[in-house]
């Protein structure tokens, strides 16, 4: 419980850091400049997903299930990420050329890519796998908060400078994590065969994370490309508030997934019971947050971002409706399906959600901007939940046994 508490503190701080600087940057940069900044953060996310290659999900699961192979698992992960850095940079440069807001901002693009590589290179997943994530999470957050304070203290900073300072904070955390892992483990030197196997085995989860990023975190990038930086700024501030509000669910992946994966090997009943109570808890919490954000949207937008961003109020209210849907898909998909090693189905499910979201965005965002992208997100999340339920059809009896259904009905 202590680790869970500290992990939540770290995660809240991780989302509080951007909320410290967003109210300042929205006023310093203006709506167009902030749109470029938000598009840069979105590009960084895409790059980070490629470098990470799904290891932040599969790593804790594999270490929890095969503790004796920890050194080999870490060695393979490092080798895989090293191989993927150059392709990730190439993807980042290619995507930036498709977005006019970033295509003319070479410095911002370079710093966004550097930030993304650093985010993908983190080793927090190792500490999640050994059930000791809190100290590393707090260290990473300390560097992020230091970067945020540096940005606040530098009034003349532009988009590229703000992204560069954030990249420095992320890379400092990654370096400390590497040192801590090196002191704990005797890292195995992987063979080319084992690295190839890791790339092959990790492909489904990588594809899943990539498409999730494409239709969630990369939404700002899509709006910037389809509707311009001003609409990207409006969507970006709403997305940041909703992401921060929903962030309480995300540390569960590092706590619950390894637990479910471990329990499935020797106590499947307890594993499904853990998933059942997690699902109920996060759904109720997400629904409460949705209601709160809908009621408080005008105050939040004006207070945090200023009068120039009041058009984001409608976007915030609509985007908050995705929170209960995300809660269900995270527990059933990210926690349960990956623990059941249904990686291929998970990848297909997220790909369908991505296709639904981007297809709707292509139709709606050019005409309706941030609001159109928000409706596309809602459609995509609904598709993911529906497919997730279908994929787990064979496990519904274990997840909701007859007694539980009877009690629920009473």
């Amino acid at each position: 419980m202590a680790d869970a508490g500290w992990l939540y503190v770290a995660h809240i701080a991780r989302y509080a850091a951007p909320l410290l600087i967003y109210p300042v940057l929205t006023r310093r940069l203006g709506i167009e400049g902030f749109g470029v900044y938000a598009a840069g953060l979105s590009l960084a996310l895409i790059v980070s997903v490629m470098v990470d290659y799904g290891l932040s999900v599969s790593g804790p699961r594999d270490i929890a299930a095969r503790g004796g192979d920890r050194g080999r698992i870490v060695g393979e992960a490092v080798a895989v990420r090293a191989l993927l850095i150059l392709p990730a940079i190439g993807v980042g440069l290619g995507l930036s050329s498709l977005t006019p807001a970033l295509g003319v901002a070479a410095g911002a693009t370079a710093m966004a890519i550097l930030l993304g590589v650093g985010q993908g290179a983190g080793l927090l997943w190792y500490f999640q796998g050994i059930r000791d994530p809190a100290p590393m999470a707090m260290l990473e957050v300390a560097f992020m908060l230091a970067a945020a304070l540096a940005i606040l203290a530098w009034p003349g900073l532009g988009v590229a400078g703000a992204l560069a300072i954030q990249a420095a904070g992320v890379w400092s955390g990654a370096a400390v994590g590497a040192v801590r892992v090196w002191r704990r483990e005797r890292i195995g030197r992987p063979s080319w065969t084992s690295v190839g196997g890791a790339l092959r085995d990790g492909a489904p989860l990588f594809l899943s994370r990539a498409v999730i990023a494409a239709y969630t975190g990369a939404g700002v990038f899509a709006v910037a490309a389809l509707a311009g930086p001003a609409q990207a700024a409006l969507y970006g501030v709403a997305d940041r508030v909703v992401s921060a509000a929903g962030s309480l669910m995300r540390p569960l992946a590092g706590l619950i997934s390894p637990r479910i994966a471990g329990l499935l090997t020797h106590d499947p009943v307890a594993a499904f019971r853990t998933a059942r109570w997690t699902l109920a808890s996060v759904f109720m919490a997400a629904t409460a947050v949705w209601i709160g954000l809908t009621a408080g949207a005008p105050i939040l937008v004006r207070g945090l971002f200023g009068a120039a961003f009041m058009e984001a109020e409608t976007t915030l209210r609509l985007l908050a409706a995705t929170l209960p849907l995300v809660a269900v898909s995270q527990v059933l998909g990210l926690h349960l399906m990956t623990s059941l090693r249904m990686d291929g189905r998970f990848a297909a499910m997220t790909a369908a959600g991505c296709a639904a979201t981007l297809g709707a965005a292509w139709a709606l965002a050019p005409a309706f901007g941030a609001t159109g992208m928000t409706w596309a997100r809602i459609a995509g999340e609904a598709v993911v939940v529906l497919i997730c339920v279908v994929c787990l059809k064979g496990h519904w009896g274990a997840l909701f046994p007859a007694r539980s259904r009877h009690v629920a009905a009473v």
Side-chain angles (χ1 to χ4, degrees):
M1 290 301 294
D3 279 343
W6 281 112
L7 190 60
Y8 265 97
V9 169
H11 200 75
I12 291 170
R14 193 186 302 275
Y15 276 82
L19 288 178
L20 285 174
I21 62 175
Y22 271 36
V24 175
L25 291 180
T26 51
R27 291 164 173 84
R28 284 183 186 171
L29 301 175
I31 193 166
E32 293 281 339
F34 186 80
V36 176
Y37 170 78
L41 290 181
S42 191
L43 179 63
L45 174 64
I46 297 171
V47 172
S48 73
V49 169
M50 188 166 182
V51 175
D52 177 73
Y53 202 70
L55 290 167
S56 59
V57 176
S58 63
R61 177 191 70 187
D62 294 343
I63 288 177
R66 296 180 282 128
D69 292 335
R70 293 190 315 205
R72 183 184 61 79
I73 293 170
V74 172
E76 288 177 356
V78 171
V80 166
R81 287 177 166 179
L83 285 174
L84 291 173
I85 287 176
L86 286 179
I89 292 173
V91 168
L93 291 173
L95 288 174
S96 68
S97 68
L98 301 177
T99 307
L102 287 174
V104 298
T109 298
M111 292 303 103
I113 292 173
L114 182 65
L115 173 61
V117 174
Q119 290 171 336
L123 288 166
L124 178 60
W125 57 268
Y126 164 84
F127 297 95
Q128 290 171 336
I130 64 172
R131 308 279 181 90
D132 186 29
M136 189 63 241
M138 293 300 292
L139 284 169
E140 287 186 354
V141 166
F143 286 113
M144 290 180 62
L145 289 174
L149 292 175
I151 292 171
L152 293 176
W154 199 329
L157 209 60
V159 174
L163 290 171
I165 291 177
Q166 287 181 275
V170 167
W171 274 102
S172 297
V176 171
V179 171
R180 294 188 73 226
V181 172
W182 182 266
R183 289 179 175 177
R184 279 177 174 261
E185 296 292 342
R186 185 174 181 178
I187 310 300
R189 183 176 180 178
S191 64
W192 285 109
T193 301
S194 65
V195 171
L199 286 167
R200 182 185 63 253
D201 295 341
L205 276 179
F206 163 66
L207 292 174
S208 301
R209 293 293 304 278
V211 296
I212 288 172
Y215 75 86
T216 56
V220 178
F221 187 86
V223 176
L226 295 171
Q231 290 298 314
L234 295 175
Y235 182 84
V237 296
D239 183 62
R240 173 49 56 182
V241 173
V242 171
S243 295
S247 65
L248 291 178
M249 294 183 293
R250 291 173 188 164
L252 288 173
L255 296 169
I256 301 299
S257 293
R259 176 171 175 78
I260 292 175
L263 287 172
L264 282 170
T265 61
H266 59 84
D267 193 353
V269 173
F272 282 101
R273 182 170 62 245
T274 300
R276 180 167 65 250
W277 285 107
T278 303
L279 175 63
S281 300
V282 300
F283 179 78
M284 289 188 293
T287 302
V289 173
W290 171 28
I291 294 170
L293 287 180
T294 301
I299 298 173
L300 285 170
V301 172
R302 182 178 290 276
L304 288 174
F305 311 116
F309 286 79
M310 285 306 294
E311 289 183 50
E313 177 187 332
T314 301
T315 301
L316 175 57
R317 283 176 166 157
L318 288 173
L319 198 58
T322 62
L323 288 172
L325 295 172
V326 171
V328 173
S329 64
Q330 279 204 341
V331 176
L332 296 184
L334 194 58
H335 297 176
L336 188 54
M337 288 178 67
T338 58
S339 296
L340 289 166
R341 298 190 178 274
M342 300 170 65
D343 294 354
R345 294 185 185 182
F346 186 71
M349 175 187 71
T350 53
C354 178
T357 302
L358 294 183
W362 188 268
L364 297 174
F368 301 102
T371 303
M373 184 67 213
T374 304
W375 279 112
R377 275 287 308 280
I378 293 172
E381 295 296 350
V383 167
V384 168
V385 170
L386 179 62
I387 297 176
C388 190
V389 168
V390 173
C391 287
L392 286 169
K393 182 179 179 181
H395 298 278
W396 280 113
L399 185 59
F400 296 106
R403 182 182 176 188
S404 296
R405 292 196 294 270
H406 174 71
V407 172
V410 174

